[in-house]
Amino acid sequence: MTYYSEYSKVWVSVDCIIFGFEKGQLKLLIGKRQMDPGRGEWSLYGGFVNADESIDDAANRVLYELTGMKKVYMKQVGAFGEIDRDPGERVISIAYCALINVKDYDDKLRKKYGLEWVSKENMPPLYSDHEQMVKKAITLLRQRISTEPLSFNLLPNLFTLTQLQNVYEAILGEEIDKRNFRKRIKAIDFIEKTELIDKVTSKRGAALYRFNKKAYKEYPYFKL
C-alpha cells in the first residue's frame, strides 16, 4: 500500500557550517559548488539525507567525508525551507555547526575538495541562504559560549590564556577586559594550569593550560 501519494515530495539535505580558529580569527570552511544549480559559487559543504539514515547521521557522514574526523563538536542550527531557496527542486536543509581545531584537519582533504578557510569578516557571497545559516550559527555560538566550553574545540590540547581569550573575542566580535577574563577563568575548576611553558607564541614565556573533561563532567555548568 502506498501512503501519502496525494502529497508532493520534497528533498531533505544537511549543510555543515564548519568553524576553525587560526591567527586570532574565527574562520569558516567553504568551497566552490561542484554541481548545478549554482556551480562555481562559494558554498557550505552538504549533502542529501539518504533514506536509511537520520539527519544527525547524515550530518556526521558529511562531516567525516569532508574532514576525516569523528567525535567532533556539532550542534543543529535550524531548518531552512523557503520555497525558492533552491532553484533546482523543493529542498529543505537542516544546518549543523561544527567546531574543529584547524591544525587537526588534514590539509590534503581540504585540497582534495577544493576548500578554503576564510575569516567571517572576509566571507564572500555564498550560495542561496548559506549566509543566513552562518549568521544564525554565529548567533548561537555567542549565546552558548558563556555557558558551554566551546572554545576548547577550537584550541590545541595545551593553550595559553591569551589564546583562550582570543577565541572568546573572535566569537563575540568584541574585546574583553584581560584582568577580569583571567580572574574568571582561574576560578573555573576544569581549566587546569600545567607546569609547561609556551615559548613559541610568547617571548617571555606563558603558562600552558588544558581542559579537564573529567572535571567538567562533574561540574557541567558554568557562567563566564
Side-chain angles (χ1 to χ4, degrees):
M1 181 179 293
T2 302
Y3 296 98
Y4 314 127
S5 59
E6 69 270 30
Y7 299 104
S8 60
K9 294 183 178 180
V10 299
W11 297 87
V12 179
S13 67
V14 293
D15 282 296
C16 291
I17 308 160
I18 303 174
F19 289 115
F21 181 75
E22 187 179 42
K23 296 180 180 179
Q25 294 183 317
L26 184 67
K27 294 191 173 181
L28 175 70
L29 194 62
I30 60 174
K32 296 287 186 71
R33 276 178 67 86
Q34 302 297 315
M35 59 187 294
D36 293 318
R39 186 184 297 271
E41 294 183 35
W42 287 105
S43 168
L44 299 173
Y45 193 86
F48 287 101
V49 179
N50 295 323
D52 61 348
E53 63 183 356
S54 69
I55 54 175
D56 285 354
D57 288 341
N60 279 301
R61 169 177 56 81
V62 168
L63 184 66
Y64 180 72
E65 289 174 357
L66 188 66
T67 66
M69 299 167 67
K70 295 183 178 180
K71 296 182 179 180
V72 172
Y73 175 92
M74 185 163 63
K75 295 289 186 181
Q76 189 179 123
V77 172
F80 294 78
E82 290 295 327
I83 296 174
D84 59 350
R85 66 172 300 276
D86 192 310
E89 290 286 352
R90 178 76 168 94
V91 180
I92 295 174
S93 182
I94 313 299
Y96 284 80
C97 174
L99 304 178
I100 67 174
N101 181 2
V102 173
K103 292 183 178 180
D104 289 341
Y105 178 40
D106 188 348
D107 206 48
K108 293 179 182 178
L109 283 174
R110 183 188 65 79
K111 293 178 181 178
K112 175 184 176 180
Y113 289 102
L115 304 172
E116 296 291 341
W117 285 108
V118 298
S119 66
K120 61 184 179 64
E121 290 80 12
N122 297 317
M123 185 176 68
L126 300 180
Y127 173 75
S128 184
D129 53 5
H130 288 190
E131 288 183 43
Q132 296 177 33
M133 295 180 182
V134 173
K135 289 179 180 179
K136 186 171 182 180
I138 291 175
T139 297
L140 291 176
L141 288 180
R142 288 174 176 172
Q143 292 172 349
R144 292 172 177 169
I145 193 171
S146 64
T147 56
E148 293 182 39
L150 304 181
S151 302
F152 307 113
N153 298 284
L154 299 167
L155 291 168
N157 292 330
L158 296 173
F159 52 85
T160 66
L161 291 185
T162 297
Q163 290 173 319
L164 182 60
Q165 181 173 339
N166 288 341
V167 171
Y168 273 83
E169 291 178 336
I171 292 177
L172 295 173
E174 61 185 19
E175 292 186 4
I176 300 173
D177 181 77
K178 180 178 180 180
R179 182 177 297 178
N180 288 337
F181 179 81
R182 296 194 172 208
K183 182 179 179 180
R184 293 177 182 177
I185 289 296
K186 290 178 180 179
I188 298 175
D189 292 338
F190 52 80
I191 300 178
E192 294 182 337
K193 183 178 181 181
T194 72
E195 299 298 323
L196 302 173
I197 300 295
D198 172 34
K199 295 183 179 180
V200 177
T201 61
S202 173
K203 293 181 180 179
R204 297 176 60 184
L208 287 167
Y209 289 74
R210 64 187 171 201
F211 172 53
N212 186 323
K213 293 182 180 179
K214 183 179 179 181
Y216 174 70
K217 289 180 179 179
E218 295 174 356
Y219 183 66
Y221 180 84
F222 77 104
K223 180 71 174 179
L224 182 63

